[in-house]
């Protein structure tokens, strides 16, 4: 196999998409391709697209068009949610559907073998129910930490979200496959695993199991020697039970950092969003988590300018984030997704949504700094990720970026876990 064949990847969207690009990269490597970050040198350009917002859709199409224009001889491949959902023509030679990702190399060979001019392949079918598409063991690193996908799809059908249409229903990875990946990651030197998926708390639902099967997965990973820390990705408040919280509290390796999806702190907006909880249920889950993890960092996502969101409803959200003690908020302006129920609801003007985004972002910056400050004086366990001239960087278990100045002359390397005292904070960064 010639090693001169080059592939270029461009990934939009979430960490699950990044994981899937990493899995696809492994397929190309096995087929003898080398990765290049210069698309003009590539024989194949793969764009892993995203459709979570109209902007993500636009950027996906823009990138495909640009690659086709600048690189007319390369095979342009579109994969991921935007191309899965696209109606009509996608600006690519090949569109790989989500369930066909393992056949990407074959599809490229067939396309080249056809020796035709570039042709548009038909839109792939969006599956309503499918088995988990297992990539086998994938190494998707974030420094000394590795991201692991355990589930795909979502059954919740929130009124604004296109994802269940793009990714289909919940499909869970087998525990055996998860454990194999955890062992491989440990053998490759990774110390922390971030367990995630599209709706991670739905893990096992497709097999008729409840959230205890997610607990089983976390315990499986915790049993792997070499893995020192486990983090759970975004969780749905309605799925958390007191038994599950008790269960995770007994996993020493589990980090006290939870991302509990909120979207709005107003009950009337939550209802229109078709979320499965109200503000009091959310607060109750926060109380249970805090009882089990008193110093936990709590982060969330909020959408501003959801259809019909009034000033009063936004005020309710603002009050709620203070009451819940949220330490960081990922804020998004609402984005219309055709085909969802919210698309036909009365829309909030874009400038109003933007103002609300800025108000929440300002609050989030203050809350993040205040949380970092609450850890000053405490001994923290930091996983070293990078070495700078006179300090190291890494996250503590509570997921605060930490700069560690080592005065005793001891050398550390990425992957080391050290215990250090936080002496001050610089905004949201801790200094040790
Ligand atoms: S839980 Fe709601 S917002 Fe999240 S992926 Fe499912 S439908 Fe979308």
């Amino acid at each position: 196999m010639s090693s001169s064949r080059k592939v270029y990847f461009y990934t939009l969207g979430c960490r699950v998409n990044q994981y899937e690009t990493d899995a696809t990269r492994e397929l190309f490597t096995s087929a003898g391709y080398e990765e290049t970050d210069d698309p003009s040198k590539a024989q194949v350009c793969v764009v892993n697209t995203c459709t979570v917002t109209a902007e993500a859709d636009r950027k996906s199409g823009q990138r495909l068009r640009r690659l086709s224009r600048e690189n007319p001889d390369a095979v342009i491949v579109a994969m991921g949610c935007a191309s899965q959902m696209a109606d009509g023509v996608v600006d690519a030679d090949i569109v790989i559907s989500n369930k066909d990702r393992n056949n990407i190399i074959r599809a490229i060979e067939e396309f080249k073998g056809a020796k035709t001019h570039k042709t548009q392949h038909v839109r792939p079918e969006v599956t309503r129910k499918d088995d988990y598409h297992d990539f086998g063991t994938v190494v998707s690193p974030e420094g000394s930490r590795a991201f692991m996908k355990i589930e795909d799809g979502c059954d919740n059908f929130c009124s604004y979200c296109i994802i269940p249409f793009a990714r289909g229903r919940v499909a869970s990875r087998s525990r055996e496959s998860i454990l194999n990946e955890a062992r491989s990651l440990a053998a490759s030197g990774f110390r922390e695993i971030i367990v995630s998926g599209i709706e991670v708390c739905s893990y096992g639902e497709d097999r008729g199991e409840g959230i205890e099967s997610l607990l089983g997965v976390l315990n499986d990973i915790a049993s792997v020697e070499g893995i020192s820390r486990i983090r759970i990705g975004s969780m749905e408040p309605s799925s958390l039970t007191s038994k599950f919280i008790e269960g995770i509290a007994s996993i020493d390796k589990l980090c006290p950092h939870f991302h509990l999806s909120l979207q709005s702190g107003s009950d009337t907006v939550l209802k229109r969003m078709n979320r499965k909880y109200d503000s009091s249920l959310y607060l109750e889950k926060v109380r249970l988590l805090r009882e089990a993890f008193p110093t936990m960092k709590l982060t969330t996502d909020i959408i501003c300018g959801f259809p019909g969101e009034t000033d009063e409803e936004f005020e309710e959200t603002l009050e709620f984030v203070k009451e819940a003690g949220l330490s960081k908020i990922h804020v998004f302006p609402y984005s219309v997704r055709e085909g969802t129920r919210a698309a036909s609801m009365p829309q909030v003007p874009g400038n109003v949504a933007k103002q609300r985004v800025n108000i929440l972002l300002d609050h989030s910056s203050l809350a993040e700094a205040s949380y970092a400050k609450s850890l000053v004086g405490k001994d923290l366990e930091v996983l070293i990720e990078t070495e700078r001239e006179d300090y190291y960087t890494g996250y503590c278990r509570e997921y605060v970026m930490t700069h560690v100045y080592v005065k005793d002359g001891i050398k550390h390397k990425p992957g080391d876990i050290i215990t250090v005292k936080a002496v001050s904070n610089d905004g949201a960064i801790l200094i040790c």
Side-chain angles (χ1 to χ4, degrees):
M1 206 66 75
S2 161
S3 64
S4 62
R5 292 194 300 175
K6 295 208 166 36
V7 57
Y8 167 82
F9 291 99
Y10 189 86
T11 308
L12 293 110
C14 63
R15 287 297 285 116
V16 171
N17 249 23
Q18 185 58 56
Y19 178 94
E20 289 165 353
T21 297
D22 293 336
T24 309
R25 176 180 296 112
E26 290 185 14
L27 296 175
F28 276 90
T29 306
S30 307
Y33 281 81
E34 261 177 43
E35 185 176 2
T36 173
D37 53 13
D38 179 355
S40 70
K41 297 204 167 72
Q43 282 80 50
V44 179
C45 295
V46 181
V47 179
N48 197 358
T49 62
C50 172
T51 190
V52 73
T53 59
E55 180 64 4
D57 243 351
R58 193 187 62 76
K59 282 190 182 159
S60 299
Q62 192 184 51
R63 179 57 59 160
L64 284 164
R65 279 190 296 280
R66 196 164 132 195
L67 286 169
S68 299
R69 203 175 50 238
E70 292 176 358
N71 220 356
D73 294 331
V75 180
I76 310 293
V77 184
M79 59 184 269
C81 296
S83 56
Q84 181 84 18
M85 291 301 293
D87 261 328
V89 173
V90 177
D91 284 304
D93 297 312
I94 301 174
V95 180
I96 295 288
S97 73
N98 285 347
K99 66 173 183 183
D100 227 20
R101 285 176 293 221
N102 275 353
N103 296 324
I104 189 165
I105 302 291
R106 201 182 68 207
I108 290 166
E109 294 311 317
E110 279 172 7
F111 174 78
K112 289 198 294 199
K115 288 196 172 39
T116 58
H117 291 297
K118 291 185 177 185
T119 50
Q120 180 62 52
H121 287 220
V122 280
R123 174 185 169 179
E125 186 196 338
V126 175
T127 42
R128 304 291 303 169
K129 181 104 187 85
D130 202 6
D131 290 337
Y132 181 79
H133 178 94
D134 203 329
F135 295 99
T137 293
V138 177
V139 175
S140 190
E142 283 201 337
S144 309
R145 308 151 69 232
F147 185 88
M148 183 196 272
K149 181 181 165 193
I150 64 161
E151 174 278 336
D152 206 345
C154 179
D155 289 350
N156 290 343
F157 292 93
C158 299
S159 65
Y160 52 85
C161 184
I162 197 78
I163 296 304
F165 302 97
R167 286 191 172 266
R169 311 300 289 264
V170 171
S172 306
R173 186 175 183 180
S174 76
R175 281 174 70 168
E176 193 192 357
S177 171
I178 293 170
L179 194 53
N180 284 342
E181 186 163 304
R183 288 187 183 125
S184 296
L185 291 169
S188 307
F190 290 97
R191 307 297 303 278
E192 179 177 316
I193 289 181
I194 306 143
V195 175
S196 204
I198 296 298
E199 214 291 78
V200 77
C201 285
S202 295
Y203 180 84
E205 215 171 80
D206 50 326
R207 299 194 287 248
E209 300 160 2
I211 195 160
E212 64 286 349
S213 57
L214 174 60
L215 185 59
V217 165
L218 297 172
N219 273 306
D220 287 351
I221 298 172
S223 72
V224 175
E225 215 177 304
I227 297 300
S228 307
R229 309 206 305 200
I230 303 167
R231 230 174 264 284
I232 319 178
S234 179
M235 297 195 293
E236 282 295 302
S238 55
S239 306
L240 301 184
T241 60
S242 40
K243 214 166 154 205
F244 175 78
I245 295 173
E246 262 169 44
I248 55 174
S250 67
I251 303 175
D252 291 343
K253 294 181 180 179
L254 196 94
C255 293
H257 161 226
F258 300 101
H259 188 90
L260 204 54
S261 180
L262 176 62
Q263 310 306 349
S264 171
S266 157
D267 287 341
T268 40
V269 175
L270 286 172
K271 211 167 173 30
R272 294 203 296 279
M273 287 178 162
N274 195 31
R275 300 290 289 173
K276 310 267 183 302
Y277 54 86
D278 60 13
S279 55
S280 55
L281 186 137
Y282 189 98
L283 278 183
E284 174 58 11
K285 302 301 159 112
V286 171
R287 189 187 67 73
L288 290 171
L289 281 169
R290 219 166 245 135
E291 226 169 67
F293 301 89
T295 61
M296 72 169 182
K297 181 172 184 181
L298 183 66
T299 58
T300 200
D301 295 317
I302 291 183
I303 295 171
C304 286
F306 182 78
E309 185 186 63
T310 61
D311 287 344
E312 292 71 30
E313 286 172 330
F314 176 67
E315 277 304 315
E316 283 167 24
T317 294
L318 200 51
E319 284 312 306
F320 185 82
V321 297
K322 293 174 188 162
E323 192 181 353
L326 285 154
S327 313
K328 182 178 168 107
I329 309 164
H330 299 270
V331 193
F332 304 93
Y334 168 75
S335 178
V336 182
R337 307 313 293 125
E338 290 310 328
T340 61
R341 268 179 290 158
S344 56
M345 297 178 185
Q347 304 295 311
V348 169
N351 61 330
V352 174
K354 218 178 226 167
Q355 274 167 13
R356 293 175 185 168
V357 166
N358 289 337
I359 293 170
L360 270 182
L361 283 177
D362 285 349
H363 173 79
S364 177
S365 300
L366 293 174
E368 209 182 352
S370 149
Y371 179 75
K373 198 170 181 186
S374 74
L375 296 178
V376 170
K378 292 195 165 49
D379 285 334
L380 303 173
E381 207 186 72
V382 179
L383 172 55
I384 303 290
E385 289 194 40
T386 60
E387 187 178 354
R388 302 282 162 84
E389 206 168 301
D390 58 344
Y391 67 95
Y392 299 95
T393 71
Y395 284 97
C396 61
R397 282 166 57 87
E398 293 77 5
Y399 202 59
V400 177
M401 176 42 80
T402 305
H403 291 179
V404 181
Y405 292 82
V406 180
K407 296 166 196 84
D408 54 13
I410 300 173
K411 273 293 217 190
H412 298 289
K413 56 182 186 320
D416 285 353
I417 294 182
I418 56 172
T419 302
V420 278
K421 193 181 281 300
V423 291
S424 63
N425 70 303
D426 181 3
I429 294 173
L430 279 167
I431 312 294
C432 294

